[in-house]
Amino acid sequence: MEQDGEVYFLKMNNGEDLLCIIQDDSQECLYVTQPYRIELMPGPDMTITTSIIRWLPFSSLMGEKIRLDKRHVMTYILVDEETAIKYVNSIARERNKELRDQIVKEIITAASIANTSSGSIH
């Protein structure tokens, strides 16, 4: 089982790339919150930039646990601390400072613990 509250990159069967926080991991599904789709945008000089966009159209649903059937997920992997911090800072702009500081602290703690253990790809 994955550590609750950690930020993961998910590659979906339909080609979408997601960043989200895994709240629970069962044999058949993942329960996630704050799912954001990663968008790649080509630049004029052959560079590619990325941005994240809410996966659900309603911000009120982004904090709810969402059930993702693992049959629709090709792979998922824990992101590194730098990516986790950028992700949290991006989504926290919609929230107040107190909540953002709490989320950043939790993600940094989870990322620090994860960096001391071996990673895995599912």
Side-chain angles (χ1 to χ4, degrees), residues 22-100:
I22 292 183
Q23 296 295 334
D24 195 12
D25 180 1
S26 72
Q27 186 175 354
E28 297 175 356
C29 63
L30 294 173
Y31 290 93
V32 304
T33 58
Q34 301 297 333
Y36 279 78
R37 185 177 72 239
I38 300 171
E39 290 286 319
L40 301 176
M41 299 177 297
D45 57 353
M46 302 292 286
T47 59
I48 295 179
T49 59
T50 59
S51 65
I52 59 173
I53 300 168
R54 279 193 314 237
W55 193 53
L56 300 172
F58 305 105
S59 60
S60 61
L61 297 176
M62 293 294 287
E64 298 291 321
K65 273 190 180 181
I66 300 163
R67 182 185 185 276
L68 296 178
D69 190 315
K70 283 188 176 177
R71 293 178 295 178
H72 300 291
V73 180
M74 289 176 56
T75 190
Y76 58 103
I77 187 169
L78 184 66
V79 300
D80 63 3
E81 184 176 347
E82 180 181 355
T83 303
I85 290 170
K86 287 179 181 180
Y87 164 82
V88 170
N89 285 331
S90 294
I91 65 174
R93 288 185 188 117
E94 299 176 17
R95 298 176 174 198
N96 63 36
K97 184 179 180 336
E98 180 181 329
L99 184 55
R100 183 183 73 227

Side-chain angles (χ1 to χ4, degrees), residues 3-18:
Q3 293 291 323
D4 291 349
E6 291 183 328
V7 179
Y8 278 79
F9 168 81
L10 281 65
K11 181 68 170 177
M12 306 299 288
N13 286 343
N14 66 0
E16 288 183 309
D17 296 329
L18 301 179

